[in-house]
mmCIF file of all heavy atoms in Angstrom:
data_model
loop_
_atom_site.group_PDB
_atom_site.id
_atom_site.type_symbol
_atom_site.label_atom_id
_atom_site.label_comp_id
_atom_site.label_asym_id
_atom_site.label_seq_id
_atom_site.Cartn_x
_atom_site.Cartn_y
_atom_site.Cartn_z
ATOM 1 N N GLN A 262 -37.880 24.752 73.869
ATOM 2 C CA GLN A 262 -38.011 24.164 75.202
ATOM 3 C C GLN A 262 -39.473 23.916 75.580
ATOM 4 O O GLN A 262 -39.818 22.850 76.079
ATOM 5 C CB GLN A 262 -37.362 25.100 76.239
ATOM 6 C CG GLN A 262 -35.847 25.227 76.108
ATOM 7 C CD GLN A 262 -35.130 23.936 76.458
ATOM 8 O OE1 GLN A 262 -35.385 23.314 77.482
ATOM 9 N NE2 GLN A 262 -34.214 23.517 75.592
ATOM 10 N N VAL A 263 -40.329 24.903 75.339
ATOM 11 C CA VAL A 263 -41.757 24.780 75.675
ATOM 12 C C VAL A 263 -42.516 24.414 74.405
ATOM 13 O O VAL A 263 -42.530 25.182 73.438
ATOM 14 C CB VAL A 263 -42.310 26.089 76.270
ATOM 15 C CG1 VAL A 263 -43.787 25.926 76.637
ATOM 16 C CG2 VAL A 263 -41.496 26.510 77.489
ATOM 17 N N LYS A 264 -43.136 23.243 74.389
ATOM 18 C CA LYS A 264 -43.830 22.751 73.199
ATOM 19 C C LYS A 264 -45.140 23.513 72.984
ATOM 20 O O LYS A 264 -45.897 23.756 73.930
ATOM 21 C CB LYS A 264 -44.116 21.254 73.324
ATOM 22 C CG LYS A 264 -42.860 20.404 73.549
ATOM 23 C CD LYS A 264 -41.806 20.644 72.497
ATOM 24 C CE LYS A 264 -40.542 19.838 72.764
ATOM 25 N NZ LYS A 264 -39.466 20.144 71.824
ATOM 26 N N ILE A 265 -45.392 23.878 71.733
ATOM 27 C CA ILE A 265 -46.597 24.636 71.381
ATOM 28 C C ILE A 265 -47.723 23.653 71.076
ATOM 29 O O ILE A 265 -47.551 22.757 70.239
ATOM 30 C CB ILE A 265 -46.332 25.537 70.151
ATOM 31 C CG1 ILE A 265 -45.162 26.478 70.440
ATOM 32 C CG2 ILE A 265 -47.588 26.314 69.770
ATOM 33 C CD1 ILE A 265 -44.686 27.249 69.229
ATOM 34 N N PRO A 266 -48.882 23.790 71.716
ATOM 35 C CA PRO A 266 -50.008 22.873 71.454
ATOM 36 C C PRO A 266 -50.441 22.926 69.982
ATOM 37 O O PRO A 266 -50.493 23.997 69.374
ATOM 38 C CB PRO A 266 -51.116 23.412 72.372
ATOM 39 C CG PRO A 266 -50.408 24.199 73.417
ATOM 40 C CD PRO A 266 -49.178 24.773 72.763
ATOM 41 N N ASN A 267 -50.725 21.762 69.424
ATOM 42 C CA ASN A 267 -51.217 21.608 68.050
ATOM 43 C C ASN A 267 -50.207 21.989 66.965
ATOM 44 O O ASN A 267 -50.555 21.978 65.775
ATOM 45 C CB ASN A 267 -52.513 22.411 67.832
ATOM 46 C CG ASN A 267 -53.661 21.883 68.663
ATOM 47 O OD1 ASN A 267 -53.720 20.697 68.958
ATOM 48 N ND2 ASN A 267 -54.578 22.767 69.045
ATOM 49 N N LEU A 268 -48.962 22.353 67.360
ATOM 50 C CA LEU A 268 -47.967 22.697 66.328
ATOM 51 C C LEU A 268 -47.657 21.498 65.443
ATOM 52 O O LEU A 268 -47.572 21.627 64.219
ATOM 53 C CB LEU A 268 -46.683 23.204 66.988
ATOM 54 C CG LEU A 268 -45.537 23.537 66.017
ATOM 55 C CD1 LEU A 268 -45.925 24.705 65.115
ATOM 56 C CD2 LEU A 268 -44.249 23.862 66.780
ATOM 57 N N GLU A 269 -47.519 20.311 66.063
ATOM 58 C CA GLU A 269 -47.212 19.112 65.280
ATOM 59 C C GLU A 269 -48.367 18.736 64.353
ATOM 60 O O GLU A 269 -48.148 18.230 63.256
ATOM 61 C CB GLU A 269 -46.882 17.943 66.215
ATOM 62 C CG GLU A 269 -45.513 18.041 66.874
ATOM 63 C CD GLU A 269 -44.379 18.096 65.875
ATOM 64 O OE1 GLU A 269 -44.456 17.386 64.849
ATOM 65 O OE2 GLU A 269 -43.426 18.856 66.095
ATOM 66 N N GLY A 270 -49.604 18.975 64.799
ATOM 67 C CA GLY A 270 -50.755 18.708 63.939
ATOM 68 C C GLY A 270 -50.761 19.615 62.723
ATOM 69 O O GLY A 270 -51.002 19.174 61.589
ATOM 70 N N PHE A 271 -50.488 20.905 62.952
ATOM 71 C CA PHE A 271 -50.399 21.860 61.837
ATOM 72 C C PHE A 271 -49.260 21.481 60.902
ATOM 73 O O PHE A 271 -49.388 21.544 59.673
ATOM 74 C CB PHE A 271 -50.188 23.277 62.380
ATOM 75 C CG PHE A 271 -49.837 24.282 61.315
ATOM 76 C CD1 PHE A 271 -50.808 24.776 60.453
ATOM 77 C CD2 PHE A 271 -48.523 24.715 61.162
ATOM 78 C CE1 PHE A 271 -50.476 25.689 59.455
ATOM 79 C CE2 PHE A 271 -48.184 25.623 60.169
ATOM 80 C CZ PHE A 271 -49.170 26.115 59.317
ATOM 81 N N ASN A 272 -48.136 21.056 61.481
ATOM 82 C CA ASN A 272 -46.983 20.670 60.674
ATOM 83 C C ASN A 272 -47.270 19.409 59.852
ATOM 84 O O ASN A 272 -46.773 19.260 58.732
ATOM 85 C CB ASN A 272 -45.761 20.444 61.573
ATOM 86 C CG ASN A 272 -44.462 20.478 60.805
ATOM 87 O OD1 ASN A 272 -44.362 21.140 59.776
ATOM 88 N ND2 ASN A 272 -43.468 19.773 61.285
ATOM 89 N N ALA A 273 -48.078 18.494 60.401
ATOM 90 C CA ALA A 273 -48.467 17.283 59.655
ATOM 91 C C ALA A 273 -49.326 17.651 58.439
ATOM 92 O O ALA A 273 -49.172 17.065 57.360
ATOM 93 C CB ALA A 273 -49.226 16.335 60.570
ATOM 94 N N ILE A 274 -50.208 18.633 58.621
ATOM 95 C CA ILE A 274 -51.021 19.113 57.487
ATOM 96 C C ILE A 274 -50.120 19.723 56.428
ATOM 97 O O ILE A 274 -50.267 19.464 55.225
ATOM 98 C CB ILE A 274 -52.073 20.139 57.969
ATOM 99 C CG1 ILE A 274 -53.107 19.457 58.863
ATOM 100 C CG2 ILE A 274 -52.762 20.811 56.788
ATOM 101 C CD1 ILE A 274 -54.103 20.410 59.502
ATOM 102 N N LEU A 275 -49.162 20.536 56.877
ATOM 103 C CA LEU A 275 -48.224 21.173 55.946
ATOM 104 C C LEU A 275 -47.384 20.127 55.215
ATOM 105 O O LEU A 275 -47.192 20.209 53.995
ATOM 106 C CB LEU A 275 -47.316 22.139 56.712
ATOM 107 C CG LEU A 275 -46.275 22.904 55.890
ATOM 108 C CD1 LEU A 275 -46.960 23.832 54.896
ATOM 109 C CD2 LEU A 275 -45.357 23.706 56.799
ATOM 110 N N ALA A 276 -46.884 19.129 55.948
ATOM 111 C CA ALA A 276 -46.032 18.096 55.349
ATOM 112 C C ALA A 276 -46.771 17.279 54.303
ATOM 113 O O ALA A 276 -46.158 16.781 53.342
ATOM 114 C CB ALA A 276 -45.494 17.172 56.448
ATOM 115 N N THR A 277 -48.084 17.099 54.476
ATOM 116 C CA THR A 277 -48.870 16.301 53.522
ATOM 117 C C THR A 277 -49.542 17.156 52.448
ATOM 118 O O THR A 277 -50.325 16.629 51.654
ATOM 119 C CB THR A 277 -49.934 15.470 54.271
ATOM 120 O OG1 THR A 277 -50.707 16.331 55.125
ATOM 121 C CG2 THR A 277 -49.296 14.375 55.109
ATOM 122 N N CYS A 278 -49.245 18.458 52.426
ATOM 123 C CA CYS A 278 -49.797 19.312 51.362
ATOM 124 C C CYS A 278 -49.277 18.883 49.998
ATOM 125 O O CYS A 278 -50.035 18.808 49.026
ATOM 126 C CB CYS A 278 -49.435 20.778 51.615
ATOM 127 S SG CYS A 278 -50.527 21.640 52.743
ATOM 128 N N TYR A 279 -47.969 18.600 49.921
ATOM 129 C CA TYR A 279 -47.392 18.204 48.629
ATOM 130 C C TYR A 279 -47.992 16.900 48.093
ATOM 131 O O TYR A 279 -48.452 16.864 46.944
ATOM 132 C CB TYR A 279 -45.870 18.093 48.725
ATOM 133 C CG TYR A 279 -45.258 17.443 47.520
ATOM 134 C CD1 TYR A 279 -45.176 18.122 46.306
ATOM 135 C CD2 TYR A 279 -44.782 16.127 47.568
ATOM 136 C CE1 TYR A 279 -44.641 17.520 45.190
ATOM 137 C CE2 TYR A 279 -44.240 15.526 46.452
ATOM 138 C CZ TYR A 279 -44.172 16.223 45.269
ATOM 139 O OH TYR A 279 -43.647 15.614 44.151
ATOM 140 N N PRO A 280 -48.024 15.799 48.880
ATOM 141 C CA PRO A 280 -48.637 14.574 48.338
ATOM 142 C C PRO A 280 -50.126 14.715 48.064
ATOM 143 O O PRO A 280 -50.681 13.936 47.291
ATOM 144 C CB PRO A 280 -48.370 13.528 49.429
ATOM 145 C CG PRO A 280 -48.073 14.287 50.654
ATOM 146 C CD PRO A 280 -47.441 15.562 50.219
ATOM 147 N N THR A 281 -50.782 15.710 48.677
ATOM 148 C CA THR A 281 -52.202 15.947 48.400
ATOM 149 C C THR A 281 -52.387 16.703 47.094
ATOM 150 O O THR A 281 -53.273 16.385 46.285
ATOM 151 C CB THR A 281 -52.846 16.733 49.560
ATOM 152 O OG1 THR A 281 -52.709 15.991 50.775
ATOM 153 C CG2 THR A 281 -54.321 16.983 49.303
ATOM 154 N N ILE A 282 -51.542 17.708 46.840
ATOM 155 C CA ILE A 282 -51.641 18.525 45.623
ATOM 156 C C ILE A 282 -51.099 17.777 44.411
ATOM 157 O O ILE A 282 -51.610 17.916 43.288
ATOM 158 C CB ILE A 282 -50.875 19.853 45.816
ATOM 159 C CG1 ILE A 282 -51.502 20.680 46.929
ATOM 160 C CG2 ILE A 282 -50.815 20.656 44.526
ATOM 161 C CD1 ILE A 282 -50.648 21.859 47.375
ATOM 162 N N CYS A 283 -50.078 16.972 44.635
ATOM 163 C CA CYS A 283 -49.334 16.292 43.571
ATOM 164 C C CYS A 283 -50.218 15.590 42.527
ATOM 165 O O CYS A 283 -50.049 15.820 41.323
ATOM 166 C CB CYS A 283 -48.354 15.317 44.211
ATOM 167 S SG CYS A 283 -47.460 14.275 43.061
ATOM 168 N N PRO A 284 -51.180 14.721 42.929
ATOM 169 C CA PRO A 284 -51.942 13.995 41.896
ATOM 170 C C PRO A 284 -52.768 14.905 40.993
ATOM 171 O O PRO A 284 -52.947 14.617 39.810
ATOM 172 C CB PRO A 284 -52.849 13.058 42.716
ATOM 173 C CG PRO A 284 -52.937 13.681 44.064
ATOM 174 C CD PRO A 284 -51.604 14.324 44.279
ATOM 175 N N PHE A 285 -53.262 16.021 41.540
ATOM 176 C CA PHE A 285 -54.095 16.930 40.748
ATOM 177 C C PHE A 285 -53.259 17.683 39.713
ATOM 178 O O PHE A 285 -53.737 17.976 38.612
ATOM 179 C CB PHE A 285 -54.831 17.892 41.675
ATOM 180 C CG PHE A 285 -55.754 17.195 42.642
ATOM 181 C CD1 PHE A 285 -55.380 16.999 43.956
ATOM 182 C CD2 PHE A 285 -56.975 16.685 42.219
ATOM 183 C CE1 PHE A 285 -56.213 16.338 44.850
ATOM 184 C CE2 PHE A 285 -57.817 16.018 43.097
ATOM 185 C CZ PHE A 285 -57.429 15.839 44.417
ATOM 186 N N LEU A 286 -51.998 17.992 40.056
ATOM 187 C CA LEU A 286 -51.100 18.599 39.075
ATOM 188 C C LEU A 286 -50.739 17.596 37.979
ATOM 189 O O LEU A 286 -50.687 17.945 36.795
ATOM 190 C CB LEU A 286 -49.828 19.106 39.763
ATOM 191 C CG LEU A 286 -49.970 20.343 40.645
ATOM 192 C CD1 LEU A 286 -48.647 20.660 41.342
ATOM 193 C CD2 LEU A 286 -50.429 21.548 39.841
#
Side-chain angles (χ1 to χ4, degrees):
Q262 293 292 311
V263 181
K264 303 306 178 185
I265 303 171
N267 295 330
L268 177 65
E269 286 301 321
F271 170 76
N272 198 28
I274 293 174
L275 180 64
T277 52
C278 276
Y279 169 73
T281 301
I282 297 168
C283 174
F285 299 101
L286 288 176

